[in-house]
Amino acid sequence: MNQQHVLGIDIGGSGIKGAIVDLQSGEFVGERFRIPTPEESTPVNVAGVVAQIVEHFAAELGDGPIGVTFPAIVQHGVTLSAANVDKSWINAPAQQILTEHVGRPVALVNDADAAGLAEVKYGAAKDVDGLVIITTLGTGIGTALVHNGVLIPNSELGHIEIDGHDAESQAAASAKTRDGLSLSEYIPRLQRYYETLEALLVPDLIVVGGGISKKADKFLPKLTLRTPIVAAELRNQAGIVGAAWIAANS
Ligand code: BGC
């Protein structure tokens, strides 16, 4: 295997996606491969699907680690939370389960941490000094804190309490859909969320990812913040790219 080429896998609520990433450019080498997330998405069932994805790319892989993202707190390979996923992940030795199923080393990382690092290494926050907060607006709100290129993992700032609510329950993209909001009705919730992050952490740059960031030009200019706020650049590739980068660099 070319050591520049590493497999990244993104475990999401509806699909598990993998691709080989060229770490020089941060781009995919060949096609992405996706399998739907099993209905009963326990660690063992998901690990079985991850193994199928690894098998799909086996001919292109060496012995090095692969990177895998998961949408929960991941500390030293153990998943500690399960905000929008099967509760059986809480306290599961997930990295070990995955390693056993795929038969090679796995670096397991929070999904937003992976996406955030990808934006810092290859995307919207490339070469930005100081504190960058990368947020993903989706089913939940994922966040990554990166200071001078170094990730501070598991920031979980989607769950800060704002006006008596878990922030993601109001400001995630899923809350917009759930409450039937137009973009202009949703913008005040984003304003409230990002002004709170800004007041708490005084970042140098905020990056906004997740599917809704495709429409970033329609809502980012309407936010009133001191901090520059920009759309993510790697779109739905960020998790896979960041996972591969972390596998090669941890
Ligand atoms: C979880 C985070 C995750 C985010 C995005 C939140 O509900 O707590 O761990 O990064 O959703 O998937």
Side-chain angles (χ1 to χ4, degrees), residues 70-73 81 83-84 110-112 136 140-143 156 159 168:
F70 191 71
I73 301 171
S81 65
N84 296 302
N110 170 265
D111 58 350
T136 59
I141 297 181
T143 64
E156 293 289 332
H159 295 295
E168 73 171 23

Side-chain angles (χ1 to χ4, degrees), residues 83-113:
N84 296 302
V85 288
D86 196 273
K87 300 302 170 214
S88 58
W89 287 85
I90 297 174
N91 292 323
Q95 183 167 288
Q96 191 188 320
I97 294 170
L98 288 163
T99 301
E100 282 166 12
H101 276 77
V102 306
R104 61 177 71 232
V106 171
L108 185 66
V109 60
N110 170 265
D111 58 350
D113 282 344

Side-chain angles (χ1 to χ4, degrees), residues 217-242:
D217 57 328
K218 304 227 161 35
F219 62 89
L220 291 187
K222 303 207 167 125
L223 299 178
T224 309
L225 299 166
R226 264 187 311 103
T227 313
I229 184 163
V230 298
E233 285 175 9
L234 277 79
R235 307 275 177 213
N236 60 3
Q237 302 198 344
I240 291 175
V241 172

Side-chain angles (χ1 to χ4, degrees), residues 119-148:
E119 291 296 334
V120 168
K121 300 299 166 190
Y122 306 103
K126 194 166 190 296
D127 299 327
V128 175
D129 285 334
L131 181 63
V132 183
I133 306 180
I134 301 94
T135 59
T136 59
L137 302 173
T139 309
I141 297 181
T143 64
L145 279 187
V146 182
H147 186 251
N148 289 343

Side-chain angles (χ1 to χ4, degrees), residues 1-248:
M1 179 188 77
N2 179 340
Q3 294 192 338
Q4 290 294 128
H5 291 178
V6 174
L7 178 61
I9 296 179
D10 196 7
I11 300 174
S14 57
I16 302 178
K17 299 137 272 177
I20 306 264
V21 177
D22 179 344
L23 294 178
Q24 187 86 41
S25 63
E27 282 163 11
F28 288 180
V29 180
E31 292 295 306
R32 194 186 77 151
F33 181 59
R34 177 185 189 276
I35 298 178
T37 306
E39 203 146 305
E40 202 196 331
S41 56
T42 59
V44 166
N45 288 352
V46 167
V49 174
V50 170
Q52 288 177 51
I53 293 180
V54 175
E55 193 49 42
H56 175 85
F57 291 105
E60 296 161 76
L61 297 177
D63 304 332
I66 62 164
V68 178
T69 77
F70 191 71
I73 301 171
V74 183
Q75 190 180 37
H76 308 306
V78 178
T79 40
L80 296 183
S81 65
N84 296 302
V85 288
D86 196 273
K87 300 302 170 214
S88 58
W89 287 85
I90 297 174
N91 292 323
Q95 183 167 288
Q96 191 188 320
I97 294 170
L98 288 163
T99 301
E100 282 166 12
H101 276 77
V102 306
R104 61 177 71 232
V106 171
L108 185 66
V109 60
N110 170 265
D111 58 350
D113 282 344
L117 260 184
E119 291 296 334
V120 168
K121 300 299 166 190
Y122 306 103
K126 194 166 190 296
D127 299 327
V128 175
D129 285 334
L131 181 63
V132 183
I133 306 180
I134 301 94
T135 59
T136 59
L137 302 173
T139 309
I141 297 181
T143 64
L145 279 187
V146 182
H147 186 251
N148 289 343
V150 177
L151 173 74
I152 299 146
N154 294 310
S155 49
E156 293 289 332
L157 298 167
H159 295 295
I160 53 174
E161 185 179 321
I162 302 179
D163 305 329
H165 297 283
D166 182 1
E168 73 171 23
S169 73
Q170 304 303 303
S174 62
K176 173 181 181 294
T177 312
R178 181 198 62 212
D179 295 342
L181 304 180
S182 66
L183 200 53
S184 60
E185 288 166 329
Y186 177 51
I187 286 170
R189 297 189 182 192
L190 293 177
Q191 172 67 32
R192 189 79 188 99
Y193 181 63
Y194 286 110
E195 73 191 15
T196 306
L197 281 191
E198 179 181 67
L200 281 175
L201 288 152
V202 196
D204 292 279
L205 177 69
I206 299 174
V207 178
V208 181
I212 198 158
S213 66
K214 275 185 242 149
K215 295 185 193 152
D217 57 328
K218 304 227 161 35
F219 62 89
L220 291 187
K222 303 207 167 125
L223 299 178
T224 309
L225 299 166
R226 264 187 311 103
T227 313
I229 184 163
V230 298
E233 285 175 9
L234 277 79
R235 307 275 177 213
N236 60 3
Q237 302 198 344
I240 291 175
V241 172
W245 191 93
I246 288 168

